[in-house]
Amino acid sequence: MLDQLNTAQREAVSAPRQNLLILAGAGSGKTRVLIHRIAWLIQTQAVSPLEILAVTFTNKAASEMKTRAQNILNHPIQNMWIGTFHGIANRLLRTHYREAGLKQNFEILDQTDQIRVIKQLFPDEKETPNNTELRDIANQFNRWKDQGLRSKHIDTLGNSPGYYHRLYEQYETLCNKESLVDFAELLLRAHELWLNNQGILDRYRERFRHILVDEFQDTNDVQFAWLKILAGQENYVFAVGDDDQSIYSWRGAQVSNMYKFQQTFENVRTVSLERNYRSTENILNAANSVIKHNKARLGKSLWTESNEGDKIRVVAMINEFAEAQFVAEECYRWIRYEIYRPADIAILYRNNWQARVLEQEFNQVGLPYRIHGGLRFFERAEIRFALSYLRLFQDPQADIAFLRVVNVPPRGVGQTAMDRILELSKGQNLSMWDAAAIAKDNQQVLPKAKRSLNTFSHYISNFNQRRDNLTLRQLATAAVYDSGLFEYYGKDKGETGRSRQENLKELVLAAEQFEQSHKDRLSVENPNATKEEACALTAFLDLVALDSREQQGSDTEAINLMTVHAGKGLEFPCVVMVGMEEGLFPHHASSFSVASVEEERRLAYVGITRAMKQLTMTFANSRTSFGKSLALQGHSRFLNEISKDHCIHLTYKDDTLVPRFSTKSPPIRTSEPAASEEVNHHKHERVQHSMFGDGVVVAEQGDGASRKLQVKFSNGKTSWFLADTDFLTFINH
């Protein structure tokens, strides 16, 4: 088991039973160490899988952890608890819902639903905050929960509660009444479950003797407290993390938890994993030279036995349009000459809005690309509507689901009827479902709305009463087809309508596949499950709510565009980091705090260490955002921190790359005709494109360097190109 590990990895995996802090640098094999530690405990220390709790931050990571551990041990470990913090908290609350003060079928609120609930705190529509303000309110609530604070715990220094505090009190009351649990609440209430129930805590302490935590630098205050109380004095924590990659403080993560670990837990042994298996020597040296400028760090330096590799290219641009053109040309060259596949390339940026110009240029030249962190499957409108129907099949009293679909598809429940339902709900402290039943007899509600409410209530009641006798696929089919959603989207004869119908079909398939896997898992993990625990509908809705927090993955053969935050945990042979300007990266908002600048530096470190073989970093002399010029202050300080021994500085100008401060201008292109041999291409000329094949020029526009040609290809695609582009070969010449 230890043969394939290096010295530091072996030390971590085979350490005696004690609290361990593993400082795992980027690309140092931290997941391998964590997996091997699990296998080591089971195989050589006679630890039962039932005694192990392994916690991480995404379902994908948890699934990979379990699969790899089973492969090493060569036998299944289904009974072992491996999951995300939120998933395990949900499991605890589902099991001990009474002790946690919840209804058995409590509802998990995703981020959108949380906003809907907060909106209910404002009965006067004129006083309702806009969406940005509502998100700010939600973020404040979540921050308080991440810190373990209920409204009664917030110190007002003797003053009356402030605006957010009063709203927080009302939000708690509403959520408790409706048994609604947001993501932050899952963690806080699970922690309180142990705090307030010594017997339950003792039971889990006795069971989980070994607690392994991945990405420890991303834990918040509640998660740290949760781990501390579970470990107690008798159990052992194996924490794996990298303080140099702590980049989620805006999400509540506390890098200080890495430092607190040694003071909080007894007899802590620290092991540093510094050998990098990912990047070349130049890339690692650049990363080390940047991160060493941070003062608050535990300290380690990555090294590799890999080759020196290419020097990092730091390229100066006139503006963001030149930057996008340069990136597109480089990507095209790498793909055309088979230096890299599209999926090998990642374009990283500090803010999502930077992708717009890149997308525009990639579309112009026909480069395949994918935006990471785009709208995920379960967040699409048509899917959310279908899921709301499923939620009502489970519990008609679910107010959020009721409000979302009572008139989707449109069925004649107008604003007057909805106002009356809301009025009755608030005035008589009723659920929307019960208020709707009363509203059907109200004279103010139009006959058409009454008929529609009757039809809707009969439809929901029918499937609610029959849900235990129907498969999850049958319920999903009802939510998609019987509800009228599929037919409704079919009225849109364009691509959008077809796409939405395909998504709804995919949901039915997903439900069927989940139900089978749910049955298989229960047969091994919990064969004596209660009727409610075995309910595939509840488990499916829980999975969807928890999965909505994670990034969507894809194996599509396309160039990867993403923020540096989204790139964490990924690696690519070729990386381009764009927008390396002071005021953009580091972000101007970080300039007021040393801690914020250090987090920005850690973010730059994460971006650099995503690259395996080649790294290019670009900056622009001027840049606009949403039509306004940004107040930039030259290139990023992080570029200055990279030793000149590891990089080469270049300037992109007039379609050439030239070394900065040099009088020579060696062009990238070798086939371009000299000025005296300039060729003007016109309509009807035949062309060749390496991806789209044969085509013909069908239109022309502009003059000089800005002259463009429109080409129609034999595959039917039509695109505009600059006349002097390298992407086209003119067959007549």
Side-chain angles (χ1 to χ4, degrees):
M1 189 183 300
L2 302 178
D3 286 348
Q4 297 180 349
L5 304 179
N6 64 36
T7 303
Q9 290 173 337
R10 283 197 297 272
E11 180 185 354
V13 168
S14 61
R17 300 189 188 194
Q18 65 182 106
N19 293 311
L20 287 152
L21 178 62
I22 312 302
L23 300 181
S28 63
K30 70 174 180 64
T31 305
R32 165 182 276 201
V33 166
L34 199 148
I35 303 292
H36 277 71
R37 178 65 175 180
I38 292 173
W40 176 266
L41 290 172
I42 294 172
Q43 200 168 65
T44 73
Q45 304 299 302
V47 173
S48 165
L50 295 175
E51 296 180 276
I52 296 174
L53 173 67
V55 191
T56 186
F57 279 84
T58 68
N59 285 321
K60 181 180 178 182
S63 176
E64 179 188 2
M65 199 183 295
K66 178 174 282 192
T67 300
R68 288 174 61 175
Q70 289 181 160
N71 290 340
I72 292 176
L73 292 166
N74 201 28
H75 64 75
I77 52 173
Q78 283 94 336
N79 290 333
M80 185 176 136
W81 279 36
I82 298 180
T84 66
F85 276 102
H86 291 87
I88 289 172
N90 176 58
R91 187 169 181 175
L92 288 168
L93 296 178
R94 292 288 176 194
T95 303
H96 305 286
Y97 64 90
R98 288 191 186 90
E99 295 87 344
L102 294 167
K103 296 178 183 177
Q104 186 172 20
N105 61 346
F106 67 83
E107 180 180 357
I108 299 175
L109 299 177
D110 63 19
Q111 293 167 333
T112 302
D113 288 337
Q114 186 182 23
I115 297 294
R116 284 177 178 269
V117 172
I118 294 172
K119 211 169 183 178
Q120 293 180 35
L121 304 179
F122 300 90
D124 188 343
E125 190 172 336
K126 295 178 181 178
E127 296 180 3
T128 302
N130 60 37
N131 287 334
T132 300
E133 293 167 332
L134 288 169
R135 282 194 296 271
D136 289 341
I137 294 169
N139 289 337
Q140 180 59 62
F141 292 175
N142 295 336
R143 278 193 292 270
W144 276 327
K145 291 187 180 186
D146 288 343
Q147 295 166 12
L149 298 175
R150 294 293 184 192
S151 60
K152 64 183 179 182
H153 299 138
I154 297 170
D155 188 358
T156 60
L157 300 176
N159 300 317
S160 59
Y163 175 67
Y164 278 13
H165 190 181
R166 289 195 299 273
L167 289 175
Y168 190 31
E169 289 177 323
Q170 296 170 28
Y171 177 73
E172 283 182 326
T173 300
L174 178 58
C175 288
N176 287 332
K177 171 179 169 287
E178 302 293 340
S179 210
L180 305 174
V181 179
D182 57 46
F183 288 133
E185 180 72 18
L186 279 172
L187 300 176
L188 178 54
R189 195 167 288 242
H191 179 237
E192 292 171 340
L193 174 69
W194 282 336
L195 275 177
N196 302 326
N197 298 274
Q198 189 64 42
I200 294 176
L201 174 61
D202 289 342
R203 188 194 316 172
Y204 285 100
R205 276 182 173 173
E206 186 176 345
R207 173 169 180 175
F208 296 127
R209 295 299 188 185
H210 297 271
I211 306 163
L212 296 91
V213 189
D214 193 16
E215 304 287 6
F216 190 73
Q217 77 281 349
D218 292 336
T219 54
N220 60 33
D221 288 335
V222 162
Q223 289 161 338
F224 188 87
W226 189 85
L227 292 167
K228 179 184 174 183
I229 194 173
L230 177 60
Q233 300 297 316
E234 305 296 329
N235 299 332
Y236 307 109
V237 179
F238 185 91
V240 183
D242 183 3
D243 57 322
D244 290 334
Q245 295 190 75
S246 180
I247 58 175
Y248 297 120
S249 65
W250 49 274
R251 221 159 61 178
Q254 298 288 337
V255 66
S256 59
N257 287 347
M258 293 287 290
Y259 319 136
K260 282 168 55 181
F261 187 87
Q262 294 166 310
Q263 285 77 46
T264 303
F265 294 90
E266 295 182 357
N267 190 27
V268 174
R269 179 176 178 179
T270 301
V271 180
S272 294
L273 306 181
E274 298 179 314
R275 181 179 175 183
N276 177 281
Y277 290 89
R278 175 188 299 157
S279 307
T280 63
E281 189 176 347
N282 268 319
I283 291 170
L284 286 188
N285 287 336
N288 287 332
S289 63
V290 170
I291 200 64
K292 73 180 182 182
H293 286 80
N294 272 6
K295 305 299 181 186
R297 58 189 298 256
L298 293 167
K300 64 184 177 306
S301 184
L302 298 180
W303 60 276
T304 182
E305 291 185 355
S306 180
N307 56 39
E308 183 179 28
D310 294 336
K311 288 191 175 184
I312 295 164
R313 296 188 303 169
V314 178
V315 187
M317 307 288 171
I318 298 173
N319 54 34
E320 72 268 30
F321 303 106
E323 181 180 64
Q325 183 177 345
F326 163 75
V327 172
E329 286 188 356
E330 288 295 273
C331 290
Y332 179 84
R333 181 172 65 86
W334 290 326
I335 296 168
R336 180 176 183 179
Y337 295 107
E338 298 183 352
I339 301 171
Y340 298 112
R341 296 163 38 242
D344 291 337
I345 304 167
I347 316 300
L348 306 182
Y349 34 81
R350 178 63 181 82
N351 298 295
N352 274 308
W353 57 260
Q354 292 173 253
R356 185 187 63 80
V357 178
L358 291 164
E359 285 191 81
Q360 182 176 306
E361 189 68 25
F362 279 25
N363 282 324
Q364 172 91 357
V365 299
L367 285 169
Y369 70 90
R370 174 179 177 268
I371 299 285
H372 283 246
L375 199 61
R376 297 180 283 277
F377 179 78
F378 289 117
E379 293 178 342
R380 293 168 184 168
E382 64 274 19
I383 300 301
R384 292 176 72 83
F385 289 138
L387 291 171
S388 291
Y389 278 109
L390 285 175
R391 176 65 182 157
L392 289 173
F393 294 165
Q394 182 200 42
D395 179 14
Q397 306 287 335
D399 285 352
I400 295 171
F402 180 93
L403 287 170
R404 184 179 283 147
V405 297
V406 66
N407 200 39
V408 178
R411 52 174 57 90
V413 182
Q415 193 58 50
T416 301
M418 287 308 303
D419 288 344
R420 185 57 183 150
I421 292 171
L422 289 166
E423 181 183 337
L424 287 166
S425 173
K426 292 178 180 178
Q428 299 185 29
N429 198 25
L430 299 171
S431 69
M432 297 294 172
W433 178 261
D434 292 337
I438 297 174
K440 287 185 294 184
D441 299 325
N442 191 281
Q443 293 182 352
Q444 297 176 16
V445 179
L446 296 174
K448 181 179 180 182
K450 291 180 180 180
R451 290 194 297 272
S452 296
L453 286 171
N454 262 322
T455 303
F456 179 73
S457 62
H458 287 148
Y459 163 68
I460 297 297
S461 297
N462 176 41
F463 285 100
N464 173 250
Q465 293 165 9
R466 298 168 54 209
R467 68 172 187 141
D468 292 338
N469 300 318
L470 297 174
T471 66
L472 183 57
R473 178 188 173 89
Q474 289 172 323
L475 290 170
T477 300
V480 167
Y481 295 96
D482 295 359
S483 68
L485 280 176
F486 193 85
E487 180 182 0
Y488 172 64
Y489 287 115
K491 293 176 182 177
D492 182 350
K493 302 302 181 183
E495 182 59 34
T496 301
R498 287 194 298 273
S499 175
R500 286 178 168 171
Q501 285 190 318
E502 288 298 322
N503 289 336
L504 289 169
K505 290 180 184 177
E506 187 68 21
L507 178 65
V508 175
L509 179 61
E512 180 181 22
Q513 293 171 341
F514 174 84
E515 185 167 38
Q516 186 57 52
S517 66
H518 181 64
K519 288 179 180 177
D520 294 342
R521 184 178 65 82
L522 281 179
S523 66
V524 175
E525 291 187 21
N526 194 5
N528 299 317
T530 65
K531 184 177 181 181
E532 192 62 35
E533 287 173 336
C535 179
L537 177 57
T538 299
F540 183 64
L541 291 172
D542 283 353
L543 175 73
V544 169
L546 294 168
D547 274 358
S548 72
R549 303 180 71 252
E550 300 182 15
Q551 295 291 337
Q552 179 188 19
S554 173
D555 297 324
T556 304
E557 188 61 31
I559 299 166
N560 303 280
L561 274 66
M562 68 187 81
T563 63
V564 185
H565 281 102
K568 186 173 179 296
L570 304 176
E571 59 183 36
F572 303 92
C574 179
V575 170
V576 182
M577 293 178 67
V578 299
M580 297 300 297
E581 297 119 36
E582 195 74 12
L584 182 56
F585 200 177
H587 194 274
H588 66 86
S590 71
S591 60
F592 305 105
S593 160
V594 172
S596 296
V597 170
E598 293 210 343
E599 176 147 339
E600 289 287 299
R601 187 175 282 110
R602 292 194 293 268
L603 189 58
Y605 173 84
V606 166
I608 293 169
T609 53
R610 297 313 93 198
M612 300 166 69
K613 297 180 180 178
Q614 184 162 356
L615 174 63
T616 302
M617 307 174 84
T618 69
F619 66 91
N621 294 324
S622 66
R623 187 180 298 271
T624 57
S625 172
F626 305 109
K628 296 181 179 179
S629 295
L630 292 180
L632 303 175
Q633 301 143 29
H635 61 263
S636 170
R637 70 185 73 182
F638 303 146
L639 297 180
N640 291 340
E641 293 169 357
I642 300 175
S643 169
K644 293 179 181 178
D645 295 335
H646 311 311
C647 62
I648 178 172
H649 290 264
L650 305 165
T651 300
Y652 180 71
K653 184 179 180 181
D654 296 330
D655 297 332
T656 63
L657 267 183
V658 296
R660 294 177 68 195
F661 317 122
S662 170
T663 57
K664 296 183 179 180
S665 304
I668 283 182
R669 301 175 180 170
T670 57
S671 59
E672 186 174 338
S676 59
E677 304 173 302
E678 185 176 350
V679 177
N680 288 321
H681 302 291
H682 300 288
K683 286 177 66 173
H684 310 307
E685 288 197 51
R686 293 170 55 229
V687 300
Q688 177 76 32
H689 189 287
S690 63
M691 294 183 186
F692 305 142
D694 296 331
V696 62
V697 178
V698 295
E700 48 193 320
Q701 186 181 89
D703 297 302
S706 63
R707 180 175 168 77
K708 296 180 180 179
L709 303 174
Q710 187 181 40
V711 178
K712 184 173 183 179
F713 295 95
S714 55
N715 64 5
K717 181 179 178 65
T718 301
S719 292
W720 284 93
F721 298 87
L722 288 173
D724 65 345
T725 182
D726 260 355
F727 298 122
L728 299 176
T729 301
F730 290 84
I731 298 173
N732 292 354
H733 297 277

